[in-house]
Structures are given as structure tokens and as C-alpha cells.
Amino acid sequence: MQYRQWGQTQQTLSVFSLGTMRYLADQAAALAVIKTALDFGANHIETAQAYGDSELILAQTLQTTINRQDIYITTKLLPVPNAQEFAARLDRSLQRLGVDYIDNVAIHGINTPEHLAWALEFCLPVLETAQAVGKIGAIGFSTHGSLALICQAIESRKFAFVNLHYNYFFQRHAPAIQLAQAFNMGVFIISPADKGGLLYQPSPQLRELCHPIHPLHLTYRFLLSQPGITTLSFGPAGPDEVPFPLEVADQTHPLTDAEKAAFWRIEDHLQATLGLERCHQCQACLPCPEEIAIPEILRLRNLTVGLGMEEYGTYRYQMLEKAGHWFPGRQGARCTDCGDCLPRCPSQLNIPALLRETHSQLRGPGRRRLWEGN
Ligand code: SF4
Ligand code: SF4
């Protein structure tokens, strides 16, 4: 396991951080996962007040199995426009975790400008007070928001770290990582394996293109080779799932020729398969009056058509309109053919037709086509 400096803090984190979403309900599995991950050198566990009993399970583990001083803990608290309520949330996390000090506290989900305003006005003062009296260490934020919003939050200079989405198949937030690095902030990558492409079980096509490297390892290496990234989350469901991802935990060097060649094979294949129908993710088509998530939908199409990642495409597409600000935008069937986006697309894509095709492919089984009537 390699370790990296967590921005301007005094913490040196393992380059893999244990996420705690997948073994919430099972104390025995939690104990085994945490212990195994620590045996492999992980020293950072990330949880959240909103993850069900995750904090409580971690507390039990701390009482029985691991020493508090062996790990860094991050928890996350949802923002709220009320300092008193936010202070109560912080107290609740301290109590549930059974600790008198939390190494890192993030405002959970600065996903909209309103969240950022709440964070700056109501939440940060609470956290800064707690920091001053030694209840918490570093203050950061997690986000599923737009690049502009993330950069605005970073530029506030109020945060020591950021948790965000970024991976080989979703590189839009690269400028935010550069900005965070310039401000000496810690950078935590959310779920690069699962949300980044269901890479524990990659599509046969992707597996073939990456061969002899496993797609999971290739995507981790893409991230580990970037010094501006501190740590990647991984979320094993059981102790048997711990070793495989960590096979690359020592490999923080620049990409090798073999890894670069695998990425070139992926790019060549995407180009050959998608041709002139490839969306280049420039975002110029936005805004859509129907709030359709055009670039995200066409990104999922790129991966589905180009790399056989239909399971992933379906998984993410079906979250649209269900996850609110955690995954904003509407599905492709909402297109009214207004044509506003068409002249803005430098690739001259027939966006309405591609949206309909993608909706048909990724909407999931047994659903009626929305554009076929009420
Ligand atoms: S044509 Fe469809 S996708 Fe394009 S802006 Fe209009 S409603 Fe949105
Ligand atoms: S403008 Fe065209 S290429 Fe750019 S994100 Fe929109 S659909 Fe894709």
C-alpha cells in the first residue's frame, strides 16, 4: 500500500480508502472487511450519517477490533440551512461513532448552489468552531454537482479536501482536481469501480480490450498515476473482495507502456464503433429546456454501444429522475424535438434521435416508451 499526503492536513492516507456502503447491515462482515483492509495497509475509513447504521457499525468495530489511532475516519453530514440543526448533526455523529474526535468531516453533497450557500453560511461556522475546540480535524465537502459549482466551492478556500466523481470514463472534473491540487487540497475519488463502470464485473468487450490488464486495475492505475489524487474509495462487500482491488495499491508510478496501449485500444475501438455518432462530452448542447441530461445520456450511449457496457448504462440511466440532485437531469424520452440543442453541437449529432435510441436501450425491461403516449 502506498500513502499520500492528505492536502494541507497532517494526515497521510492510504491510496485506497474503505467505503462503508456495501456492508451496512452485517456487523460480522463489517468487522472482517475492516480488519482485512487494515491488514492490507488501508488506514482511512469513510462513512456518512446518511448511510443507515454505518457509523454505529464502525463504532462497534472500533470498540472491539481496531485501535482508534490506527485509522483516520471521515464522516459526512448533509447540509442544512440552520446552524443549530447542523451542530446537532455533528454531535450525533460523534456520539454514534463513539469517539471524541473525528479526523475529517465533510459536508455531504454540495450538489447545488443552494447547498454551497448553506454550507458557507450555516455549516462551516459550526465545523470551524468544532475544529477550534479539537472535536474534528479537517473540513471538506463531497459533491455530485457541476464542474462550475465544484470549482466555486474549491475557490472559496474554506475546505481542506473534496470528494468527487472522476474516472477514465468520466473525466469532466479533471479541472477541479487540478484546482484542488493547486490549492493543496486532499482529493478523494468516489466509487471509481462501481459508479465508474461496474468494473468488478466488466463487459466482455472491455475485458478483451484491456487484456492482459483487468479493467478494474486499469481504471485504478489511471487514477493512482495522478499525483493530485490522494485516495480512491473501494467498497468490498466481504473480506474476500478486499485483496483483488488492492493488487495495484503499490503502483502509483506513471502509466506504463502496456497500460497506455490498453487505453489506446479502448479509444480506437470507441472511435471505430461510434464514428460520427460519438458524443465528445463538450456540454455545448446545454441547456435543454426540458432539462434532459444530454451529455450524460450520450456518455452512457458511448459506453454501451462502444464498449458493451449496457449493464452499467442501464444502471446509471435508470437513476435519472429518481435520485434528485444526486444525479440531476431528465431522461431522453422527454425530448420535444424543439431543436435548440442541434446548432450548438460541434459534432452535429442528431441529438433527439440518439436520445430516443438510448432511452429505448437503457430504460430497463418491460417499460412502456414514454414518447408513445401517456
Ligand atoms: S431537441 Fe430535445 S434534447 Fe434538444 S434541446 Fe430540445 S428538448 Fe432538449
Ligand atoms: S454538444 Fe454534442 S458533442 Fe457536445 S456534449 Fe452535447 S451532444 Fe455531446
Side-chain angles (χ1 to χ4, degrees):
M1 180 69 73
Q2 292 290 306
Y3 300 84
R4 279 183 173 153
Q5 185 64 32
W6 185 224
Q8 62 216 242
T9 76
Q10 301 301 312
Q11 303 170 39
T12 305
L13 301 191
S14 49
V15 293
F16 278 88
S17 293
L18 188 60
T20 56
M21 280 198 73
R22 286 178 74 200
Y23 53 86
L24 293 179
D26 185 340
Q27 170 70 12
L31 276 171
V33 167
I34 293 174
K35 198 166 176 329
T36 310
L38 261 61
D39 287 345
F40 275 82
N43 70 356
H44 179 217
I45 300 182
E46 200 232 20
T47 182
Q49 197 167 89
Y51 292 172
D53 287 338
S54 171
E55 289 180 328
L56 293 170
I57 288 176
L58 180 54
Q60 287 164 22
T61 313
L62 282 169
Q63 283 158 17
T64 55
T65 312
I66 51 177
N67 291 323
R68 172 71 185 90
Q69 57 270 28
D70 288 347
I71 57 162
Y72 295 111
I73 296 173
T74 294
T75 198
K76 307 192 292 293
L77 306 175
L78 294 168
V80 64
N82 181 314
Q84 216 175 350
E85 195 177 328
F86 193 76
R89 289 183 183 191
L90 175 60
D91 285 342
R92 182 169 150 81
S93 273
L94 283 159
Q95 191 186 10
R96 277 161 53 105
L97 285 164
V99 297
D100 52 16
Y101 177 78
I102 303 172
D103 306 279
N104 303 291
V105 176
I107 298 172
H108 191 175
I110 294 188
N111 299 338
T112 67
E114 187 179 52
H115 292 149
L116 179 57
W118 293 353
L120 296 176
E121 185 174 352
F122 301 104
C123 309
L124 260 168
V126 171
L127 295 179
E128 284 167 352
T129 302
Q131 189 179 47
V133 299
K135 282 187 183 175
I136 69 170
I139 300 167
F141 69 99
S142 73
T143 178
H144 298 240
S146 69
L147 175 63
L149 182 74
I150 299 171
C151 290
Q152 201 187 337
I154 291 172
E155 281 165 347
S156 74
R157 309 293 293 261
K158 296 285 186 186
F159 300 102
F161 64 92
V162 54
N163 299 9
L164 79 174
H165 283 282
Y166 172 72
N167 58 69
Y168 182 72
F169 298 118
F170 177 77
Q171 298 188 33
R172 177 154 174 74
H173 291 162
I177 291 176
Q178 283 165 14
L179 193 62
Q181 188 178 15
F183 289 166
N184 195 20
M185 287 173 65
V187 173
F188 174 106
I189 303 296
I190 302 169
S191 188
D194 185 65
K195 306 286 192 310
L198 289 181
L199 298 176
Y200 284 103
Q201 287 154 332
S203 74
Q205 212 168 347
L206 183 61
R207 202 183 267 267
E208 194 179 315
L209 287 164
C210 295
H211 183 78
I213 305 166
H214 191 285
L216 179 70
H217 288 158
L218 191 64
T219 207
Y220 283 152
R221 281 284 300 128
F222 171 76
L223 298 166
L224 292 171
S225 66
Q226 300 180 45
I229 293 171
T230 316
T231 187
L232 325 178
S233 74
F234 81 119
D240 52 321
E241 288 187 11
V242 172
F244 184 64
L246 300 187
E247 281 179 19
V248 294
D250 265 328
Q251 299 176 23
T252 52
H253 48 264
L255 292 175
T256 64
D257 288 346
E259 289 162 343
K260 285 182 197 162
F263 284 123
W264 279 118
R265 286 196 297 278
I266 291 173
E267 282 308 311
D268 286 349
H269 191 76
L270 280 168
Q271 208 42 50
T273 321
L274 294 163
L276 296 176
E277 291 192 332
R278 182 173 184 179
C279 168
H280 290 92
Q281 297 289 288
C282 66
Q283 315 267 319
C285 47
L286 297 177
C288 160
E290 301 302 323
E291 296 181 1
I292 296 167
I294 304 171
E296 179 60 12
I297 293 171
L298 297 188
R299 184 183 80 87
L300 298 176
R301 179 184 183 273
N302 285 349
L303 298 177
T304 299
V305 175
L307 300 174
M309 294 169 67
E310 184 165 350
E311 194 182 343
Y312 171 71
T314 305
Y315 158 53
R316 297 299 281 172
Y317 188 79
Q318 292 187 4
M319 284 175 64
L320 288 169
E321 303 188 24
K322 289 197 186 122
H325 55 72
W326 298 96
F327 196 54
R330 299 172 83 206
Q331 295 193 342
R334 307 287 183 185
C335 177
T336 59
D337 279 306
C338 75
D340 283 8
C341 57
L342 294 172
R344 295 197 290 256
C345 177
S347 303
Q348 298 183 311
L349 299 183
N350 185 346
I351 293 171
L354 294 177
L355 291 176
R356 290 191 166 96
E357 176 207 294
T358 308
H359 182 80
S360 180
Q361 190 166 9
L362 302 183
R363 69 190 161 150
R367 288 204 193 166
R368 197 152 46 113
R369 295 182 187 197
L370 294 177
W371 63 87
E372 281 181 347
N374 42 13

